[in-house]
Amino acid sequence: MGLLEVKNLKVHFPIHGGIFRKVVGEVKAVDNVSFTIEAGQTYGLVGESGSGKTTTGRAIIGLNSITSGSVIFEGQDLALKGVRKQKNIRKDIQMIFQDPYSSLNPKKRVLDIIAEPLRNFEKMSPGEEKRRVQELLLQVGLSPENILKYPHEFSGGQRQRIGIARAIALKPKLIIADEPVSALDVSVQAQVLNFMQDIQKELNLTFLFISHDLGIIRHMCDHIGIMYKGRHVEQGTAKDIFDNPRHIYTKRLIAAIPDIDPKQREKQTEFRKSVSMEYEQAHRNYFDEQGMPYPLKSISETHLVALPEKG
Amino acid sequence: MSEELLEIKNLSTSFRIVDDYYAAVDDVTLSVRKNEILAIVGESGSGKSALAFSIMGLHTRAKIDGQIKYKGHDIVTMSPAALNKLRGQEMSMIFQDPLSALNPLMIIGSQIEEVLILHDSKLSKKQRKEKVIDLLNKVGISRPEHTYQQYPHELSGGMRQRVVIAIAIANSPKLLIADEPTTALDVTIQLQILELIKRLKNDMEAGIILITHDLGVVSEMADRVAVMYAGQIVEIADIFTLTSNPKHPYTRSLLNSIPTVKEEKSRLHVIQGIVPPLQNLPRKGCRFSARTPWIPEWEHEENPQLHEVAPGHFVRCTCHYNFHFPDTSEEASHNGTS
């Protein structure tokens, strides 16, 4: 059994219309998504904008309400009413946000930013609190003298580390990282990614890593789920997805990644041509009449692909 | 050398901060030829966008020294009227953020027509509309008549970027500057836009300056690459040389720090420290030296210049000769202090 089991998760948003703002339809942002994350591992959710990956993450932590389905965390279903009120559950799941420039309150000192979760959940004297924050700063590689500074005094990478310090303050078990490095420069990105791997080992953390960058996903994740229009089209280990992609959408996504080796240009162009040909010709084999992906079918022990019922 | 479209010599663009001028672009010399994509790579704060704005003459308060010659005419000393004529007609720019580059209150058609009216007033109303539809077709918009009547908010990010490109190529410019044209887009859309830019290059035989921080995009697109760090060009080479035989420590570090789909790296290389802010840039010595503290000082040149190490391959400073990456244990200990 995994640390987190998401089963048939649906998040639908109502569309209001008419004079009385009646519900006239709904957007199926997340539609029947299931996956499991084992403790200590990293699960990567990949997809383009609008695919529902962020909504999935936000639904798990409780920032979006769940329409139906279950989110089982350590045996308890978070989708049931009242379960989330238990303090330990809220402590155990934390989030790292995308933009380190807007996710830290500019009017607060680093001390207050990192201590906020501590103040909410743990009774600490101001002295203890200060010591704990200094410890956390050291842990994320910042100097403990920084506690009285404000966010604008830090660079992007340092800010993201402050965000991480806040996320790990309560010693959570699961961290949802929503595009944690997409706002950062490549060299800073490397720094934050390395650091996330370090704290994962150190604190035995489990990550749900949401990103649109397949290079980063491959680097960070053990298991990967590819999302399209609110559904999973393919799920498997990093090896399954990158060495043996089976769904045409996954293939198309992988083909679109710019190749770092300029000598491969022609080969890459050929490969893309063949993939886009297949995408056009075999569209029917992968998507139903409404253009939606089929339910997942397992083709090996770890590898699931959204294919139609027969063959 | 008649193919040289743009020649920049010893360009410095300085901005005034409090009482002093600081060079955001420092002593840049480069050229762009016809039918060539020159990529400029660098992190935020490296001066790549400041360079692009200098070429377009868009800085109003900056102090610009040096030469920017477009087909032999110096842009720096040109009158505003002459410059206006050049901009949009001979050279144009694709901006980074397609949402803020378009006017939200104007339909797409009128926004593109605006460029045509300003630079080619001989066209009749009907001809203009035909030309706009033709342009929209060219950038791969499937229902141009429909899009003509739409407002920017009705279009997706990729479509908006296509419209921005349509505006940029409306007068078939000879020089196109694309400032991070795909940063805001998804990979599949990015691919389409990049292919569009490549096709335009082949059709119009234009020179293109592609500004980006994404080395993958560079490898796919560029003929030549200039790597910028802290306002200076640290390395210029053709793309094949740059990726297979990079010399400057900064280029090598960058290449080592990106996670790729192809190979598995157990650990990414981290460039220590941060790009120093403009006011604190070291004005003497190798600017990258602060970020490679394990390289002894005598390896650096006192006043680093670009040296030609192979035909067409220029590297700044001498520190690349004996450059090596620190071993991992060293790296880890440095990480903790940054």
Side-chain angles (χ1 to χ4, degrees):
Chain A
M1 209 185 85
L3 179 79
L4 180 80
E5 279 181 60
V6 176
K7 276 191 202 147
N8 306 326
L9 178 72
K10 288 186 185 174
V11 181
H12 295 180
F13 296 110
I15 304 170
H16 295 278
I19 335 170
F20 298 112
R21 316 289 297 149
K22 268 198 283 189
V23 177
V24 293
E26 53 185 4
V27 178
K28 295 179 177 174
V30 179
D31 198 20
N32 241 344
V33 162
S34 309
F35 59 91
T36 305
I37 315 179
E38 304 293 331
Q41 293 212 315
T42 305
Y43 188 88
L45 268 186
V46 198
E48 297 185 278
S49 41
S51 62
K53 55 190 194 305
T54 297
T55 312
T56 307
R58 290 174 68 95
I60 291 168
I61 201 170
L63 291 170
N64 286 132
S65 57
I66 295 168
T67 308
S68 75
S70 55
V71 176
I72 297 166
F73 179 75
E74 292 196 309
Q76 282 185 293
D77 190 351
L78 303 184
L80 298 176
K81 261 199 180 135
V83 174
R84 275 195 208 273
K85 291 209 174 119
Q86 298 174 26
K87 281 197 162 180
N88 62 329
I89 286 186
R90 289 199 286 180
K91 265 170 68 175
D92 282 345
I93 308 180
Q94 294 290 330
M95 190 148 181
I96 299 171
F97 293 94
Q98 173 167 8
D99 183 358
Y101 294 89
S102 59
S103 60
L104 302 178
N105 187 338
K107 291 184 193 162
K108 282 189 173 177
R109 298 170 301 177
V110 169
L111 174 68
D112 300 315
I113 290 172
I114 300 178
E116 193 179 356
L118 296 171
R119 287 173 191 163
N120 286 340
F121 289 102
E122 267 161 50
K123 287 202 176 72
M124 281 185 166
S125 70
E128 275 173 347
E129 188 184 280
K130 197 172 150 193
R131 236 169 296 135
R132 177 85 183 107
V133 170
Q134 285 175 328
E135 250 173 58
L136 283 164
L137 279 176
L138 264 182
Q139 212 165 12
V140 297
L142 294 169
S143 142
E145 295 108 62
N146 287 330
I147 52 168
L148 296 179
K149 287 190 184 167
Y150 288 89
H152 73 262
E153 296 174 71
F154 295 91
S155 68
Q158 288 174 325
R159 280 169 190 233
Q160 198 57 305
R161 291 189 202 200
I162 295 171
I164 295 174
R166 179 175 59 183
I168 62 174
L170 292 165
K171 304 201 174 89
K173 290 175 181 148
L174 174 70
I175 288 187
I176 297 171
D178 187 2
E179 305 259 14
V181 293
S182 23
L184 306 173
D185 267 324
V186 268
S187 64
V188 185
Q189 192 174 310
Q191 206 177 39
V192 173
L193 292 178
N194 279 350
F195 169 70
M196 282 179 72
Q197 284 178 327
D198 291 344
I199 54 163
Q200 176 166 39
K201 262 182 244 141
E202 215 173 291
L203 306 171
N204 194 27
L205 290 172
T206 309
F207 283 129
L208 174 62
F209 199 98
I210 300 170
S211 178
H212 67 279
D213 187 321
L214 285 157
I216 294 175
I217 288 282
R218 162 140 231 195
H219 182 72
M220 294 294 288
C221 300
D222 307 295
H223 288 266
I224 294 165
I226 311 270
M227 284 188 77
Y228 175 66
K229 290 193 177 171
R231 296 185 189 176
H232 264 106
V233 295
E234 195 156 354
Q235 222 175 66
T237 60
K239 227 176 153 39
D240 289 336
I241 298 286
F242 286 102
D243 298 347
N244 185 23
R246 295 296 293 274
H247 198 278
I248 186 65
Y249 182 75
T250 315
K251 283 187 202 168
R252 199 164 158 244
L253 216 53
I254 292 174
I257 308 168
D259 199 312
I260 201 75
D261 184 1
K263 289 187 204 90
Q264 302 289 325
R265 272 184 199 172
E266 261 148 53
K267 227 172 100 193
Q268 194 73 3
T269 316
E270 283 305 304
F271 174 55
R272 278 177 194 150
K273 254 189 211 145
S274 73
V275 169
S276 76
M277 279 248 289
E278 195 187 342
Y279 186 76
E280 262 149 46
Q281 287 167 355
H283 199 270
R284 258 298 155 81
N285 304 347
Y286 293 99
F287 300 99
D288 63 14
E289 282 89 21
Q290 277 109 42
M292 298 297 287
Y294 291 102
L296 287 175
K297 238 177 61 176
S298 74
I299 57 163
S300 80
E301 223 165 90
T302 52
H303 198 168
L304 295 128
V305 188
L307 292 172
E309 272 312 305
K310 47 170 177 35
Chain B
M1 299 291 261
S2 60
E3 295 291 287
E4 309 268 312
L5 205 56
L6 183 80
E7 276 191 276
I8 301 175
K9 265 200 195 122
N10 307 101
L11 175 74
S12 295
T13 304
S14 315
F15 296 100
R16 195 179 159 150
I17 301 172
V18 195
D19 276 332
D20 222 340
Y21 280 95
Y22 296 93
V25 177
D26 199 359
D27 193 23
V28 165
T29 299
L30 51 81
S31 60
V32 185
R33 303 181 191 117
K34 230 169 105 181
N35 200 9
E36 172 187 68
I37 298 182
L38 171 77
I40 299 180
V41 195
E43 294 177 275
S44 40
S46 60
K48 53 195 197 308
S49 288
L51 173 62
F53 276 58
S54 306
I55 298 169
M56 291 293 287
L58 292 173
H59 288 306
T60 45
R61 294 218 185 132
K63 191 170 105 211
I64 296 181
D65 300 307
Q67 271 183 350
I68 307 173
K69 275 195 170 164
Y70 175 77
K71 286 188 176 167
H73 307 288
D74 196 345
I75 292 173
V76 179
T77 54
M78 204 177 265
S79 71
L83 189 60
N84 262 343
K85 220 169 178 179
L86 212 58
R87 273 195 302 233
Q89 183 114 342
E90 289 279 331
M91 51 191 206
S92 64
M93 189 153 171
I94 301 170
F95 292 95
Q96 177 168 3
D97 181 1
L99 189 55
S100 54
L102 295 172
N103 186 340
L105 299 175
M106 267 167 98
I107 59 166
I108 299 298
S110 330
Q111 301 203 34
I112 305 176
E113 274 180 14
E114 205 176 29
V115 196
L116 296 175
I117 295 169
L118 279 174
H119 291 285
D120 196 359
S121 46
K122 288 188 293 288
L123 292 173
S124 74
K125 217 171 169 188
K126 201 172 150 226
Q127 281 173 315
R128 274 205 304 267
K129 184 163 181 184
E130 268 164 23
K131 179 136 194 225
V132 169
I133 304 272
D134 184 50
L135 279 167
L136 288 173
N137 248 330
K138 219 180 199 168
V139 294
I141 286 176
S142 51
R143 289 161 65 205
E145 283 88 1
H146 181 67
T147 308
Y148 185 92
Q149 297 291 349
Q150 280 181 310
Y151 287 93
H153 75 266
E154 296 176 80
L155 304 176
S156 67
M159 292 280 271
R160 279 187 212 135
Q161 193 58 285
R162 280 162 205 260
V163 172
V164 171
I165 293 176
I167 293 174
I169 61 163
N171 287 314
S172 319
K174 298 287 169 307
L175 178 71
L176 195 60
I177 301 175
D179 187 3
E180 306 260 9
T182 57
T183 312
L185 305 172
D186 278 324
V187 270
T188 46
I189 315 289
Q190 163 172 297
L191 180 66
Q192 292 167 7
I193 298 288
L194 294 179
E195 272 171 3
L196 171 67
I197 293 177
K198 244 191 243 172
R199 214 177 59 227
L200 292 173
K201 182 199 90 167
N202 292 336
D203 290 355
M204 306 189 305
E205 293 209 317
I208 294 179
I209 300 180
L210 177 72
I211 296 172
T212 176
H213 66 273
D214 187 332
L215 284 159
V217 171
V218 171
S219 315
E220 292 261 339
M221 299 284 291
D223 298 306
R224 284 191 306 138
V225 187
V227 182
M228 279 186 84
Y229 178 77
Q232 293 179 325
I233 289 180
V234 294
E235 189 161 2
I236 296 193
D238 68 88
I239 178 68
F240 299 102
T241 314
L242 194 97
T243 46
S244 61
N245 187 19
K247 290 278 188 223
H248 196 276
Y250 182 60
T251 317
R252 290 177 58 185
S253 308
L254 268 189
L255 285 166
N256 251 331
S257 64
I258 35 173
T260 63
V261 190
K262 288 282 163 65
E263 50 182 323
E264 282 196 45
K265 291 176 188 157
S266 57
R267 217 155 162 78
L268 303 171
H269 174 69
V270 171
I271 305 175
Q272 298 169 22
I274 53 164
V275 180
L278 196 49
Q279 302 103 293
N280 304 345
L281 274 186
R283 293 293 157 190
K284 257 195 225 152
C286 180
R287 294 193 175 172
F288 195 61
S289 63
R291 307 188 71 179
T292 53
W294 65 92
I295 299 294
E297 209 173 307
W298 65 79
E299 298 283 0
H300 296 286
E301 222 174 329
E302 205 173 307
N303 194 7
Q305 299 295 324
L306 280 173
H307 304 282
E308 191 162 18
V309 292
H313 188 178
F314 294 87
V315 186
R316 194 175 287 272
C317 196
T318 46
C319 57
H320 65 89
Y321 287 112
N322 291 315
F323 179 74
H324 58 90
F325 287 109
D327 49 333
T328 37
S329 58
E330 209 177 324
E331 187 200 23
S333 71
H334 278 294
N335 266 346
T337 56
S338 61

